[in-house]
Amino acid sequence: MRTTYCGLVSEALMGQTVTLMGWAHRRRDHGGVIFIDLRDREGLVQVVCDPDRPEMFAAAEDVRNEFCLKIVGKVRARPAGTENTNLTSGKVEVLCHELEVLNPSVTPPFMLDDEHLSETTRLTHRVLDLRRPAMQKNLMLRYKVAMEVRKYLDEQGFIDVETPMLTKSTPEGARDYLVPSRVHDGQFFALPQSPQLFKQLLMVAGFDRYYQITKCFRDEDLRADRQPEFTQIDIETSFLGEEEIRAITEGMVRQVFRRALGVELPVYQQLTYAEAMHRYGSDKPDLRVKLQFTELTDVMKTVDFKVFSGPATTPGGRVAALRVPGGAEMSRGEIDAYTEFVKIYGAKGLAWIKVNDMGKGRDGLQSPVVKNLHDAALEQTLARTGARNGDLIFFGADKAKVVNDALGALRVKIGHSEFGRTHGLFDDVWAPLWVVDFPMFEHDEEADRWVAVHHPFTAPKDGHEDLMDADPGACVAKAYDMVLNGWELGGGSVRIHRAEVQKKVFDALKITPEDAQVKFGFLLDALQYGAPPHGGLAFGLDRLVTLMTKAESIRDVIAFPKTQRAQCLLTGAPGLVDEKQLRELHIRLRNPAAA
């Protein structure tokens, strides 16, 4: 029986005999004395095997990396000068009395302390990858975060209720993962993208405060912060307004950081969606970057330069500037690289001005576009941006979305670059933020219809109900996102609790009463039975832990993640099924060759 974990052996156990079980992290033979770094989920301890015990020593000679071992030995101080302050066990070692190989290991495909492994190698051999101390630390923190969430919500009177994994497809958001029904020919379940409708039904049912840490599924294109299956901290409450819901959930995140990381988050800033887009071009701005947009649309309406005046005089167009303090020292090659970068976001190019000497007026400015701007435009540009000698001003001119996306991405790229860090344009701090007052709808130009920004069950701001008929684009929602360091941690809203308001939203989205009844009839019916005012918020647990560990991808905080092609390299999923299974599900493949 193990008496303690390897990583917990410390000076407190000095002189005691301990029984340890774990894996040989590395073995070193130093002229007749064998050292084994024994590892378990809590960390490492150094085991010393000397030849005074021949049977034990012979066993130690055969040990190789990743052998599973049982060690019985005495805790003693390390020799002076050999301490390792990075380990809990760094001041002690275990003199081995007994060594038992519980299970040998074949030669691993990689060394566990290799920091330059490809992701393909790591995911293919995920079991070994999870043995690496960094991954063990990540998943232990994930567990601790989940436990702190549960403790906090329990203290606040929330109850954990499970909702179905097999539910009805509601194709208003991302693509569903469909599950064919064997007993209902030609019909399908869907895996839930969110427990949204069920948690609203729980509020109607009177449970008042609900939470769930649950799996959700979306069949969509993947990025570093996306997975086809992800874990959501789902929260809903009745009889509270926007500010109260935000206060409760902010308190949760604060407590999680405090107890799991020992970090006290600073005061949350608050921006409306319109302010965030105006200043940063993003609804999840990274406030660690000390750069903001300057609005120049009105200034550029009268210039001869059509690249600027065209968007400035076109409805929905925008001209904005991004001043980079000290940026005049950037080379033309660096500027050209940034020009290519913004093209990813739809920008046709990137105009710029280097401010060399403001005292010389126009002659002190270096740029291909200066000659195309009249004096008033130049004066306003320099004044509004707050330009100083040595600065560089970048310009975006296009449809507002293109300008926001391109300059917003450029702002982050410059801020995070070595230039940004060395020139004081980036603060490596925690920068939490609430973004509030999102628009209810956005226009899908391709489909020529309005779509919900959050989801179709979000309530409009008081006094905005009539705008859903007259001007959907002007309608503001009781919606809010929590943002941390440029990542959306969670999003939520006050929900619609009256059937007549829900009908107005469906009308704006061109969802007919017949379609609404087929897709959401169970919710619409429930709202008629005295549904209380309610709202909530859902956090991405994977994203939260990724930020807390400063990992590069959420795949580093998920035990068995999928690749960006939604594949599991460990198990080979998704895989083929046999003809018998397909017949039972009433399915015939349209491309039998693929089978």
Side-chain angles (χ1 to χ4, degrees), residues 423-486:
H423 284 70
L425 306 182
F426 180 87
D427 276 340
D428 193 7
V429 296
W430 295 106
L433 167 71
W434 282 109
V435 178
V436 302
D437 295 354
F438 277 77
M440 278 279 289
F441 309 103
E442 59 186 355
H443 195 258
D444 183 336
E445 293 184 8
E446 185 175 333
D448 191 25
R449 61 183 286 255
W450 293 98
V451 296
V453 170
H454 273 70
H455 54 64
F457 315 106
T458 300
K461 283 280 189 183
D462 296 340
H464 283 235
E465 292 179 10
D466 291 338
L467 289 175
M468 287 189 282
D469 296 324
D471 186 3
C475 189
V476 176
K478 293 180 178 178
Y480 35 80
D481 282 359
M482 184 186 288
V483 176
L484 181 62
N485 292 4

Side-chain angles (χ1 to χ4, degrees), residues 123-136:
L123 295 184
T124 301
H125 303 282
R126 188 60 164 183
V127 174
L128 290 178
D129 185 48
L130 288 174
R131 287 187 184 177
R132 297 192 305 123
M135 290 301 299
Q136 297 256 316

Side-chain angles (χ1 to χ4, degrees), residues 168 506-507 511-521 524:
K168 189 174 184 179
F506 287 155
D507 288 345
I511 298 174
T512 66
E514 294 75 21
D515 282 345
Q517 192 62 38
V518 169
K519 294 175 181 177
F520 312 113
L524 299 176

